[in-house]
Amino acid sequence: MKPEVTVICTCYNHENFVRESLLSVINQTYEAIQLIVIDNASTDDSRRVIQQVVDKHPRIVFIRNTYNIGLCRAFNQGLEQASGKYVIDLAADDIMLPERIQKQVEVFETLNKEYAVVFSNAAYIDSTGKKFGYHYALGAHGGAEGQVPTGDVYKEILRRYFICTPTIMMRKSVLMKLGGYDENLSYEDFDFFVRSAHDYKYHYIDEVLTHKRVLDGSLATQFYRVGNPMLKSSWEVCNKAYDLSRSQEEYDILANRIREFIKKCFVAEDAEQAAAFRKLLNYIEDPGWETELLVWLCRLRLPVNWLYQYYAKWRNQRNLQLMQQGVPFVQLER
C-alpha cells in the first residue's frame, strides 16, 4: 500500500489560477492523494470555478468559509480532516509538476522519522504562466548552483529565507505534534520552519518540481508594504527562536536576522515594530550605533516606501531580462 498524501489547497480570490492549480494535483502520477480545497470567502468567482472542478471529481473535499479566517487557520481546517501520512500546503495559484508527489514520497519513505520535511527547487512564473527564474539558479548540469542546506538546517532557517515554501512536503505526525500552524500569525512558513527544524531534519531534492506564481499581491511582495502585518508575525517567531536557540552561535545568527527585519521595518515605515525588534535584539547583544540610528530614523517616519516599490519594480523587470538572456536568476528576497 502506498502512503496517502493530503494536499490542502487554500484559495482567496484566485479565480484565474485555481483550476490549473487543482488540476496539477488531480493529474499527478501518484494516485493515493486526498485533496482538500478551502475557499476562504473569496469575493471573486473562485468558488464557482472550484465547484466546477469538484463536480467532475467528487472525491475532493470542499470547505466553504463564510468569512476570511486567515491563511493559517484555514490550513488547520484542512489539517483536521487530513488522512494522509504526508501533507502538502498548496496555494491556489501555484502548480505542481506531474511527478512531484511520487518523487517526494519515494524519498520520504527512505528517510527515518528524524526527517520532517522534503523540499525541492522551483521555477517562478508570472500571471500568464511565463517562467522568469528559479528559486535556486540552475548550473550547467541542470541542478542547483552551489550547495543547498539539507539535514540539520535550523541555523540556516534562522539565517535566511532559503526554502521555497510551496515545494515542501511535511510529515503529518510532526505537524500534529506542533499543533499545526500558529493561527495568531499572518503567514505560516517562518514559524513552521523554526519550530520543526529545531527538532527535525530536512531533505532537499535537486529538481524543479513546482511552479511558484509571483503576483503583485503575493506574500513575498507584501513584506515591504506599509501597514503589513507580516513584520509583527516575524517578531513573534523571532521571540520563539530566542526561546528555542541552544548555543551562542544560534543567538548570533538570530541577532543578524533581527537586524534584517529592522531594515524591513524602515522600508515599511513601521516604527513601532522596529522598536520591538530592537528590544528583542538587546536581550542578545548590544544593538550598536548603526541599529540604534536606523530605529531612530524609523521614528521620523520618512516616506521611503515609494522609493523601494519603484526599485522593486525595476529589479523585477531586470531579472526578467536577465532570465531571457540566460543569466542565472537569484532567488526572491524575503
Side-chain angles (χ1 to χ4, degrees), residues 175-243:
L175 266 171
M176 300 304 291
K177 185 176 180 180
L178 294 175
Y181 289 166
D182 185 340
E183 297 181 5
N184 295 313
L185 304 178
S186 61
Y187 74 108
E188 80 295 348
D189 54 4
F190 186 30
D191 178 68
F192 172 74
F193 291 158
V194 166
R195 291 192 293 140
S196 60
H198 181 265
D199 297 317
Y200 298 92
K201 295 180 179 180
Y202 284 38
H203 181 85
Y204 172 66
I205 299 176
D206 195 15
E207 293 186 53
V208 174
L209 298 178
T210 300
H211 286 175
K212 173 180 171 58
R213 200 179 302 272
V214 180
L215 306 170
D216 287 341
S218 295
L219 211 59
T221 65
Q222 293 177 26
F223 229 109
Y224 294 91
R225 296 187 186 277
V226 175
N228 81 80
M230 298 175 65
L231 289 169
K232 186 177 188 303
S233 291
S234 300
W235 175 78
E236 295 279 1
V237 179
C238 286
N239 275 276
K240 294 182 184 182
Y242 177 81
D243 292 335

Side-chain angles (χ1 to χ4, degrees), residues 251-319:
Y251 283 119
D252 291 342
I253 294 171
L254 177 59
N256 289 333
R257 188 68 177 273
I258 291 172
R259 286 191 168 87
E260 291 301 313
F261 281 122
I262 292 175
K263 293 176 183 177
K264 290 179 171 63
C265 290
F266 175 70
V267 173
E269 302 174 19
D270 192 338
E272 180 180 352
Q273 207 54 59
F277 274 115
R278 184 257 174 221
K279 184 176 181 180
L280 176 59
L281 177 61
N282 195 50
Y283 287 127
I284 302 174
E285 62 187 33
D286 183 351
W289 71 267
E290 292 178 333
T291 299
E292 297 286 17
L293 176 60
L294 191 57
V295 173
W296 179 78
L297 289 172
C298 286
R299 296 194 194 103
L300 297 181
R301 302 188 185 278
L302 301 173
V304 297
N305 189 261
W306 70 271
L307 183 61
Y308 175 82
Q309 296 299 337
Y310 180 83
Y311 158 74
K313 184 177 180 180
W314 169 84
R315 182 190 61 198
N316 291 339
Q317 292 174 344
R318 180 175 175 272
N319 285 338

